[in-house]
Amino acid sequence: GVDAEIVTPLGDVRYTYVSTYEADPARVSKVVHMFLLRYLRGDTADHDDEVTEARFVSIDEALRMLAFKDERNIMKKARDLLGVVAAEGGPNG
């Protein structure tokens, strides 16, 4: 539901999990490519069923919410690129 443009790549997060969707569980390796995006328009409430919740939060809040070190490192890189000391939530902050 949100349109954005790519500002710059931030890096990749790699992980492995066991898929239980098949009759025989399979080990799946995944790479997530992360990007710094610039919000253009749209509403986070207009998301598909694959996503449980989408919302804008400050960078500091996002750092507290992220569970994995690699994801926190990517968020810190975004914060450093933006030169943000204490971010404000919302599409423009």
mmCIF file of all heavy atoms in Angstrom, residues 4 8 11 17 33 37 39 51 57 69-71 76 83 88:
data_model
loop_
_atom_site.group_PDB
_atom_site.id
_atom_site.type_symbol
_atom_site.label_atom_id
_atom_site.label_comp_id
_atom_site.label_asym_id
_atom_site.label_seq_id
_atom_site.Cartn_x
_atom_site.Cartn_y
_atom_site.Cartn_z
ATOM 1 N N ALA A 4 7.321 3.879 -2.778
ATOM 2 C CA ALA A 4 8.593 4.449 -2.332
ATOM 3 C C ALA A 4 9.606 4.325 -3.454
ATOM 4 O O ALA A 4 9.413 3.564 -4.401
ATOM 5 C CB ALA A 4 9.090 3.723 -1.087
ATOM 6 N N THR A 8 19.262 3.818 -1.581
ATOM 7 C CA THR A 8 20.524 3.081 -1.668
ATOM 8 C C THR A 8 20.354 1.688 -1.055
ATOM 9 O O THR A 8 19.546 1.512 -0.144
ATOM 10 C CB THR A 8 21.663 3.837 -0.942
ATOM 11 O OG1 THR A 8 22.905 3.223 -1.227
ATOM 12 C CG2 THR A 8 21.456 3.874 0.556
ATOM 13 N N GLY A 11 22.390 -3.614 2.374
ATOM 14 C CA GLY A 11 23.057 -4.879 2.646
ATOM 15 C C GLY A 11 22.062 -6.025 2.609
ATOM 16 O O GLY A 11 20.885 -5.843 2.304
ATOM 17 N N TYR A 17 15.919 -21.608 7.640
ATOM 18 C CA TYR A 17 14.834 -22.097 8.489
ATOM 19 C C TYR A 17 14.331 -23.424 7.932
ATOM 20 O O TYR A 17 14.668 -23.811 6.821
ATOM 21 C CB TYR A 17 13.693 -21.080 8.585
ATOM 22 C CG TYR A 17 12.970 -20.835 7.280
ATOM 23 C CD1 TYR A 17 11.795 -21.521 6.982
ATOM 24 C CD2 TYR A 17 13.447 -19.915 6.355
ATOM 25 C CE1 TYR A 17 11.126 -21.305 5.793
ATOM 26 C CE2 TYR A 17 12.784 -19.683 5.166
ATOM 27 C CZ TYR A 17 11.622 -20.378 4.884
ATOM 28 O OH TYR A 17 10.973 -20.157 3.703
ATOM 29 N N HIS A 33 17.344 -8.814 0.701
ATOM 30 C CA HIS A 33 18.084 -7.631 0.272
ATOM 31 C C HIS A 33 17.393 -6.400 0.876
ATOM 32 O O HIS A 33 16.204 -6.195 0.660
ATOM 33 C CB HIS A 33 18.111 -7.535 -1.251
ATOM 34 C CG HIS A 33 18.637 -8.777 -1.904
ATOM 35 N ND1 HIS A 33 19.979 -9.091 -1.943
ATOM 36 C CD2 HIS A 33 17.993 -9.798 -2.506
ATOM 37 C CE1 HIS A 33 20.141 -10.243 -2.558
ATOM 38 N NE2 HIS A 33 18.946 -10.701 -2.904
ATOM 39 N N LEU A 37 14.659 3.382 1.641
ATOM 40 C CA LEU A 37 13.633 3.863 0.722
ATOM 41 C C LEU A 37 13.169 5.254 1.111
ATOM 42 O O LEU A 37 13.177 5.615 2.295
ATOM 43 C CB LEU A 37 12.426 2.920 0.728
ATOM 44 C CG LEU A 37 12.692 1.464 0.381
ATOM 45 C CD1 LEU A 37 11.421 0.643 0.572
ATOM 46 C CD2 LEU A 37 13.199 1.337 -1.040
ATOM 47 N N TYR A 39 9.814 7.481 1.173
ATOM 48 C CA TYR A 39 8.355 7.405 1.085
ATOM 49 C C TYR A 39 7.857 8.396 0.047
ATOM 50 O O TYR A 39 8.280 9.553 0.023
ATOM 51 C CB TYR A 39 7.751 7.714 2.461
ATOM 52 C CG TYR A 39 6.259 7.919 2.443
ATOM 53 C CD1 TYR A 39 5.401 6.831 2.552
ATOM 54 C CD2 TYR A 39 5.721 9.188 2.321
ATOM 55 C CE1 TYR A 39 4.027 7.010 2.536
ATOM 56 C CE2 TYR A 39 4.357 9.379 2.308
ATOM 57 C CZ TYR A 39 3.503 8.299 2.405
ATOM 58 O OH TYR A 39 2.156 8.476 2.387
ATOM 59 N N VAL A 51 1.213 -9.866 5.282
ATOM 60 C CA VAL A 51 1.744 -9.000 6.337
ATOM 61 C C VAL A 51 0.708 -8.870 7.448
ATOM 62 O O VAL A 51 -0.455 -8.581 7.192
ATOM 63 C CB VAL A 51 2.071 -7.599 5.755
ATOM 64 C CG1 VAL A 51 2.517 -6.643 6.842
ATOM 65 C CG2 VAL A 51 3.113 -7.713 4.654
ATOM 66 N N VAL A 57 7.536 3.802 12.247
ATOM 67 C CA VAL A 57 8.064 4.032 13.584
ATOM 68 C C VAL A 57 9.388 4.771 13.454
ATOM 69 O O VAL A 57 10.003 4.783 12.387
ATOM 70 C CB VAL A 57 8.270 2.706 14.377
ATOM 71 C CG1 VAL A 57 6.946 1.974 14.572
ATOM 72 C CG2 VAL A 57 9.288 1.809 13.715
ATOM 73 N N LYS A 69 20.433 -9.490 15.325
ATOM 74 C CA LYS A 69 21.584 -8.591 15.261
ATOM 75 C C LYS A 69 21.816 -8.066 13.849
ATOM 76 O O LYS A 69 22.060 -6.866 13.663
ATOM 77 C CB LYS A 69 22.824 -9.323 15.764
ATOM 78 C CG LYS A 69 24.068 -8.481 15.768
ATOM 79 C CD LYS A 69 25.255 -9.278 16.278
ATOM 80 C CE LYS A 69 26.530 -8.459 16.182
ATOM 81 N NZ LYS A 69 27.692 -9.218 16.640
ATOM 82 N N ASP A 70 21.744 -8.927 12.841
ATOM 83 C CA ASP A 70 21.983 -8.483 11.464
ATOM 84 C C ASP A 70 20.972 -7.425 11.034
ATOM 85 O O ASP A 70 21.325 -6.460 10.348
ATOM 86 C CB ASP A 70 21.934 -9.666 10.490
ATOM 87 C CG ASP A 70 23.118 -10.602 10.643
ATOM 88 O OD1 ASP A 70 24.124 -10.212 11.281
ATOM 89 O OD2 ASP A 70 23.043 -11.730 10.124
ATOM 90 N N GLU A 71 19.713 -7.593 11.434
ATOM 91 C CA GLU A 71 18.692 -6.601 11.107
ATOM 92 C C GLU A 71 18.953 -5.280 11.831
ATOM 93 O O GLU A 71 18.785 -4.201 11.254
ATOM 94 C CB GLU A 71 17.305 -7.127 11.472
ATOM 95 C CG GLU A 71 16.874 -8.299 10.621
ATOM 96 C CD GLU A 71 15.589 -8.932 11.111
ATOM 97 O OE1 GLU A 71 15.194 -8.718 12.282
ATOM 98 O OE2 GLU A 71 14.973 -9.663 10.309
ATOM 99 N N LYS A 76 20.965 0.388 11.880
ATOM 100 C CA LYS A 76 21.979 1.353 12.319
ATOM 101 C C LYS A 76 22.673 1.987 11.124
ATOM 102 O O LYS A 76 22.978 3.184 11.128
ATOM 103 C CB LYS A 76 23.000 0.671 13.232
ATOM 104 C CG LYS A 76 22.433 0.337 14.596
ATOM 105 C CD LYS A 76 23.436 -0.444 15.427
ATOM 106 C CE LYS A 76 22.835 -0.875 16.753
ATOM 107 N NZ LYS A 76 23.763 -1.703 17.541
ATOM 108 N N GLY A 83 22.006 10.407 9.071
ATOM 109 C CA GLY A 83 22.519 11.367 10.041
ATOM 110 C C GLY A 83 21.502 11.662 11.126
ATOM 111 O O GLY A 83 21.434 12.762 11.652
ATOM 112 N N GLU A 88 11.932 10.755 14.346
ATOM 113 C CA GLU A 88 10.507 10.905 14.627
ATOM 114 C C GLU A 88 9.759 9.928 13.744
ATOM 115 O O GLU A 88 10.151 9.688 12.608
ATOM 116 C CB GLU A 88 10.034 12.329 14.325
ATOM 117 C CG GLU A 88 10.679 13.379 15.201
ATOM 118 C CD GLU A 88 10.356 13.211 16.675
ATOM 119 O OE1 GLU A 88 9.212 12.817 16.980
ATOM 120 O OE2 GLU A 88 11.228 13.461 17.504
#
